[in-house]
Amino acid sequence: MMAGSLREELLAEGTRDAFVAEARAVLDAEVKAKRGPGGMMIKGAYKTVNAVHASFVDSVLRALLPDFLADLQPHWDAFQADGSEDFGKYLAQHGDAAADSLLAVVDRRAEGSSYKSVVKLYGQLRGQAHKHVVQALPAVGELIQRNMLRP
């Protein structure tokens, strides 16, 4: 198991690009799995953002991951201290707190963003965001744990 912080290990020079690509794959899968009217709105917004700004999602991930990982660090530390085996399950059990902290990162970034059309889309979806972030936490936890356990 890697000994450093989530940020140090997952965003280090030799691991950053692969981790960002895996995070993007998790995000893409989470969006694709959405169902119902809310899912259609999310899929539509995601498609629009990708069509208008081809590299936007990747650049946003690169910008947000340091803060996301810093906010998830206390959860990772508690998970390790607890002796739990599945970080995704651990995050799901602490879903409200984890989702709130991750959304606070996005909210802060959205406030200062110059991408007004993307901020408008985010504002339209923000009311449902907590539920969707909670649903994604098992996959996020699995991604982090898999990468932190690499030799």
Side-chain angles (χ1 to χ4, degrees):
M1 183 177 294
M2 296 178 178
S5 73
L6 296 177
R7 282 176 69 165
E8 291 170 343
E9 298 295 341
L10 301 177
L11 300 180
E13 190 65 37
T15 58
R16 180 181 330 125
D17 291 341
F19 184 72
V20 170
E22 286 185 55
R24 172 66 188 261
V26 167
L27 178 60
D28 289 346
E30 288 294 319
V31 170
K32 185 177 182 181
K34 297 298 172 198
R35 300 286 179 255
M40 287 177 46
M41 284 180 57
I42 289 170
K43 287 178 179 182
Y46 196 64
K47 184 177 180 178
T48 299
V49 167
N50 281 302
V52 174
H53 309 285
S55 63
F56 183 78
V57 173
D58 288 333
S59 64
V60 168
L61 277 173
R62 286 183 180 282
L64 294 178
L65 278 171
D67 291 341
F68 282 165
L69 293 172
D71 282 7
L72 289 174
Q73 186 69 50
H75 295 284
W76 177 255
D77 294 341
F79 158 75
Q80 289 189 301
D82 188 45
S84 298
E85 295 184 18
D86 184 332
F87 189 48
K89 186 181 282 187
Y90 182 89
L91 281 179
Q93 291 168 345
H94 301 86
D96 285 337
D100 287 345
S101 66
L102 294 175
L103 285 168
V105 170
V106 180
D107 291 345
R108 285 191 304 270
R109 290 293 181 124
E111 285 176 15
S113 177
S114 61
Y115 292 97
K116 299 304 178 196
S117 60
V118 174
V119 171
K120 183 177 178 181
L121 282 173
Y122 176 68
Q124 292 171 349
L125 299 172
R126 179 59 175 89
Q128 303 174 29
H130 185 272
K131 167 181 80 170
H132 295 293
V133 172
V134 168
Q135 290 171 350
L137 287 173
V140 169
E142 191 277 327
L143 167 71
I144 290 170
Q145 184 173 6
R146 181 178 66 249
N147 281 276
M148 287 298 286
L149 294 179
R150 285 193 179 148

